[in-house]
Amino acid sequence: MSERTTGILEMTFAMTLIGTLGIFVVFSGENPVTVAFWRCLFGAVGLALICSFKGAFAYKISLKQFLLAVLGGIALTTNWVMLFHAIGHASISLTTAIYNTQPFMLVCFGVLFFGEHLTLRKLCWLALAFCGVVVIAQSKPELAYADGNFTVGVALSIGAAFLWAVAVVVTKKLSAIPSHMIALIQVSAGAILLAPFASVADLPSQSSAWGSLLTLGFVHTAMMYTILYSAVQKLPTDLQGALTFLYPSVAYVTDYLVLGQKLGTVQILGVAVIMLAAAGMTLGWRLPFFRKEKSYHQA
């Protein structure tokens, strides 16, 4: 089997895994902060074992690199808390759709901090994605299990996408460090950060809750990180971008089949618009009505 084929299989598996994450968050029955804490703690244990097996602990990390990794961990775990809160307000499907505005957050950061060009094409995809979010935000969906404030769920999803982009930007500055080590520092920082706020004194009494939390930590964090990073090393960026759309697709299907969440016509339209815009941005689709693109960037 070629390296490319192996990478495709790994990426497909990783995206399928993360697409089922929301189901286990709901099944755990715990509040979002507690779920994120246990995910960090169990994920740290799993990643520590992986780092030990791969000899990552022999790598020397400077204080600056360590602090950057911690900063990325704070952004990453806060993103998880906001995302898990959003699921309770707006369902897995709609939260995932809005959360997939992440590529646009990264584009904005690239313009602001890295002097990257913002083309008219990207601006159009960004405007289209914004329209999709507005369509969803203005709708009044029937939610099968989420019982919070839908508008709050939309806002939390956008906030989570923003913090995920922050974590990515910080992690980009740590490219010289083994990825497993970065992930270990991040989730360890998250566990320490969330410990005072998590309901660890009132432990889950159901075995199903513990099964969900263990799965989130060891499978959706330690295993998923390992497989995903391995795939990223083998595949070109465009193919990675294409395969990432398996994540929302799996999330929508499992939300419907397992939790019974149905989307109305308006919500389907909003989701489709966001997915189209994200695909166009990620895969670099050209807009036929623009012959020559202008670019805009910060001086």
Side-chain angles (χ1 to χ4, degrees):
M1 187 179 297
S2 68
E3 186 176 80
R4 181 186 177 89
T5 302
T6 302
I8 291 174
L9 291 175
E10 289 175 336
M11 192 76 175
T12 300
F13 186 58
M15 290 299 103
T16 302
L17 276 182
I18 198 170
T20 64
L21 183 145
I23 301 296
F24 290 93
V25 172
V26 175
F27 282 171
S28 73
E30 296 296 307
N31 68 72
V33 175
T34 302
V35 174
F37 166 75
W38 288 113
R39 182 185 183 186
C40 287
L41 185 63
F42 292 141
V45 173
L47 285 164
L49 293 173
I50 292 170
C51 286
S52 179
F53 177 75
K54 291 182 173 290
F57 288 120
Y59 188 89
K60 301 294 183 182
I61 300 178
S62 68
L63 178 61
K64 181 180 178 181
Q65 290 173 323
F66 176 78
L67 292 176
L68 276 175
V70 169
L71 177 61
I74 292 172
L76 182 67
T77 51
T78 306
N79 141 75
W80 289 345
V81 172
M82 295 183 74
L83 184 64
F84 298 165
H85 267 296
I87 288 173
H89 287 281
S91 81
I92 294 170
S93 294
L94 297 179
T95 295
T96 301
I98 298 170
Y99 188 62
N100 270 274
T101 56
Q102 301 160 342
F104 303 100
M105 307 287 185
L106 283 176
V107 167
C108 292
F109 279 137
V111 173
L112 290 173
F113 301 115
F114 300 107
E116 296 178 0
H117 294 266
L118 182 59
T119 64
L120 188 56
R121 172 179 58 83
K122 290 181 180 179
L123 281 173
C124 287
W125 289 127
L126 177 58
L128 186 61
F130 178 75
C131 290
V133 172
V134 171
V135 168
I136 292 175
Q138 294 297 319
S139 67
K140 295 181 179 179
E142 294 183 8
L143 301 177
Y145 52 88
D147 56 2
N149 186 308
F150 181 68
T151 303
V152 171
V154 171
L156 287 169
S157 301
I158 295 172
F162 174 83
L163 287 174
W164 178 86
V166 171
V168 170
V169 170
V170 172
T171 303
K172 276 187 174 183
K173 295 184 175 293
L174 301 170
S175 57
I177 302 175
S179 55
H180 310 299
M181 180 62 72
I182 296 173
L184 175 58
I185 295 172
Q186 289 178 335
V187 296
S188 298
I192 295 171
L193 173 69
L194 297 175
F197 309 102
S199 302
V200 293
D202 185 18
L203 297 176
S205 57
Q206 300 293 324
S207 58
S208 59
W210 279 115
S212 296
L213 294 172
L214 286 166
T215 302
L216 286 169
F218 286 103
V219 178
H220 289 96
T221 304
M223 180 187 293
M224 196 276 291
Y225 265 113
T226 303
I227 296 171
L228 179 62
Y229 285 148
S230 177
V232 166
Q233 292 173 343
K234 297 182 178 75
L235 298 176
T237 304
D238 58 342
L239 188 52
Q240 292 176 37
L243 290 172
T244 57
F245 288 96
L246 284 170
Y247 157 43
S249 301
V250 172
Y252 304 146
V253 172
T254 54
D255 196 22
Y256 171 72
L257 293 178
V258 179
L259 297 177
Q261 178 62 55
K262 299 178 181 179
L263 299 181
T265 303
V266 175
Q267 290 85 49
I268 292 174
L269 174 62
V271 169
V273 168
I274 293 174
M275 292 286 285
L276 174 64
M281 173 74 78
T282 303
L283 303 179
W285 292 345
R286 290 186 177 276
L287 295 168
F289 44 86
F290 289 122
R291 293 185 177 180
K292 188 174 182 181
E293 296 180 321
K294 295 181 180 180
S295 64
Y296 309 87
H297 65 280
Q298 297 288 324

